[in-house]
Amino acid sequence: MWKEFKEFVMRGNVVDLAVGIIMGAAFGQIVSSLVTDVIMPPIGLVLGGIDFSDFYFNLSGHPYASLAEAKKAGAATINYGLFLNQVVHFLIVAFAVFLLVKQVNRLKKTEAAKPVVIPPDVVLLTEIRDLLKKQ
């Protein structure tokens, strides 16, 4: 059983999948930082200095100045600003995956479109075979 498991894990597909997951996690952190630290602050500035991550609905009925204060007090909140950041994050990741798949498909079409070149020695052997069949 150990031998079969080792063979399974060492297959190219499993190793490729593991590399993909690790790279995806790292890419996710980069995109998260991009959304939180680069994209959303200028959008908030253009909209009047708004910090989207601080948008929330307070369900407790007690007023709080910020989401951090509400969380510290243990108040029930609906954090739609954080959700908006995650939606932007998802859209960036989805677009990046779309571009990757599009490039892979384009490369596959290029490989399939290449004409098959038969080496001259194979052509010569085919002609000899055909001549021998005729005799």
Side-chain angles (χ1 to χ4, degrees), residues 118-134:
I118 302 172
D121 56 340
V122 173
V123 172
L124 182 60
L125 289 171
T126 305
E127 290 174 359
I128 293 170
R129 181 198 65 199
D130 293 342
L131 286 173
L132 288 173
K133 279 185 181 178
K134 287 181 182 178

Side-chain angles (χ1 to χ4, degrees), residues 13-79:
N13 294 344
V14 175
V15 174
D16 291 345
L17 179 62
V19 169
I21 289 171
I22 292 167
M23 293 299 292
F27 181 70
Q29 290 175 343
I30 291 170
V31 171
S32 181
S33 176
L34 176 70
V35 170
T36 305
D37 303 328
V38 177
I39 294 176
M40 295 311 273
I43 292 173
L45 183 65
V46 168
L47 296 176
I50 297 171
D51 180 10
F52 286 95
S53 64
D54 208 29
F55 284 4
Y56 69 100
F57 290 120
N58 183 0
L59 301 177
S60 69
H62 184 2
Y64 297 100
S66 68
L67 178 59
E69 286 182 21
K71 283 186 175 184
K72 186 176 179 182
T77 59
I78 296 176
N79 308 321

Side-chain angles (χ1 to χ4, degrees), residues 75-89:
T77 59
I78 296 176
N79 308 321
Y80 66 91
L82 294 173
F83 177 74
L84 181 62
N85 283 348
Q86 291 301 318
V87 168
V88 172
H89 177 255

Side-chain angles (χ1 to χ4, degrees), residues 108-124:
K108 284 182 180 178
K109 285 180 185 177
T110 303
E111 289 175 5
K114 290 181 182 177
V116 178
V117 178
I118 302 172
D121 56 340
V122 173
V123 172
L124 182 60

Side-chain angles (χ1 to χ4, degrees), residues 94-108:
F95 186 68
V97 170
F98 167 74
L99 291 176
L100 177 69
V101 169
K102 186 174 179 173
Q103 286 297 340
V104 168
N105 288 340
R106 195 177 104 206
L107 290 174
K108 284 182 180 178

